[in-house]
Amino acid sequence: EDQVTQSPEALRLQEGESSSLNCSYTVSGLRGLFWYRQDPGKGPEFLFTLYSAGEEKEKERLKATLTKKESFLHITAPKPEDSATYLCAVQADFNKFYFGSGTKLNVKP
Amino acid sequence: KAGVTQTPRYLIKTRGQQVTLSCSPISGHRSVSWYQQTPGQGLQFLFEYFSETQRNKGNFPGRFSGRQFSNSRSEMNVSTLELGDSALYLCASSLGSDTQYFGPGTRLTVL
């Protein structure tokens, strides 16, 4: 069964304390893996697309990596404004998208 | 370039009523997908339209329907509303088979 699992469900960090979020997946025919950021009451904001194992993408304090079974979103020296829910999605065969349940990140000053 | 727009942003309905939500994709995007998001279930896929044809469908009852117009704008309709239909409804557009860009959502409350 195709599915996407994110961990942890919630993560509390002190400002400047680096960490990683995990997204593991089991899908048939991975076409792409996507990371989004979602603030409360708003639509998900696109962050990265990864297409193949070994690929990495960076944006400010965020870095996304991809292996054959999982993806990591590394957050370096986070700031309070990085607090949000981070969603992972996988695109499989026939253009089907599967979303994880998200990791709620809280960065304390 | 303007992003995905959804109207209305907020909606309050009572049980048994029907509702229509609208989505305008990013200019040039031909695929529009609809999702339901609730705190307990997360993001659940409703359906996807591409060039006016439904290309994919999730596991929702027939009360949920949609359509896409020739200008790629899409509408979603929910008939005979139930309390459990209260959710944030998100629309996402893409060129075809790649990155989806989301709108701000429509918050539907069913009383």
Side-chain angles (χ1 to χ4, degrees), chain B:
Chain B
K1 208 174 200 181
V4 179
T5 58
Q6 292 187 246
T7 57
R9 292 294 313 281
Y10 302 93
L11 209 49
I12 299 175
K13 293 286 187 179
T14 56
R15 280 181 298 173
Q17 288 187 309
Q18 77 165 19
V19 66
T20 299
L21 312 182
S22 181
C23 171
S24 292
I26 293 171
S27 177
H29 284 194
R30 296 169 63 188
S31 168
V32 173
S33 296
W34 288 89
Y35 293 87
Q36 181 194 68
Q37 187 176 38
T38 58
Q41 298 294 322
L43 264 164
Q44 292 191 290
F45 173 71
L46 283 154
F47 29 67
E48 181 213 2
Y49 287 87
F50 181 82
S51 293
E52 301 180 66
T53 301
Q54 188 179 84
R55 186 161 68 172
N56 276 308
K57 189 178 187 302
N59 298 321
F60 277 79
R63 301 185 296 108
F64 293 82
S65 63
R67 58 178 176 169
Q68 186 179 35
F69 303 94
S70 59
N71 61 357
S72 293
R73 189 177 70 86
S74 177
E75 287 183 346
M76 190 192 96
N77 184 274
V78 187
S79 63
T80 318
L81 284 167
E82 300 177 358
L83 293 178
D85 296 333
S86 294
L88 181 67
Y89 289 88
L90 293 161
C91 163
S93 79
S94 73
L95 282 169
S97 299
D98 54 358
T99 303
Q100 294 186 332
Y101 296 88
F102 284 84
T106 293
R107 171 71 64 184
L108 172 64
T109 301
V110 182
L111 303 176

Side-chain angles (χ1 to χ4, degrees), chain A:
Chain A
E1 182 185 343
D2 296 330
Q3 66 177 14
V4 178
T5 304
Q6 290 188 247
S7 62
E9 288 186 14
L11 182 62
R12 179 177 290 187
L13 299 173
Q14 285 296 127
E15 184 173 1
E17 179 186 2
S18 302
S19 187
S20 297
L21 314 182
N22 177 264
C23 170
S24 63
Y25 58 90
T26 52
V27 295
S28 54
L30 176 72
R31 299 297 188 92
L33 186 139
F34 309 87
W35 283 97
Y36 293 87
R37 169 198 169 121
Q38 186 175 26
D39 293 300
K42 297 186 177 182
E45 174 190 346
F46 169 71
L47 293 173
F48 304 109
T49 304
L50 302 167
Y51 291 106
S52 57
E55 190 174 359
E56 299 182 350
K57 293 273 180 76
E58 281 189 73
K59 179 181 178 181
E60 296 180 355
R61 296 177 292 281
L62 300 177
K63 179 180 177 181
T65 62
L66 180 64
T67 71
K68 287 187 178 180
K69 293 184 179 181
E70 59 190 348
S71 175
F72 292 94
L73 184 65
H74 307 280
I75 303 177
T76 303
K79 298 182 179 182
E81 53 262 42
D82 294 323
S83 297
T85 295
Y86 290 85
L87 296 169
C88 166
V90 169
Q91 181 186 20
D93 285 336
F94 308 109
N95 203 41
K96 289 185 178 289
F97 283 81
Y98 301 91
F99 277 81
S101 54
T103 293
K104 187 173 183 179
L105 174 66
N106 186 6
V107 182
K108 294 287 192 181

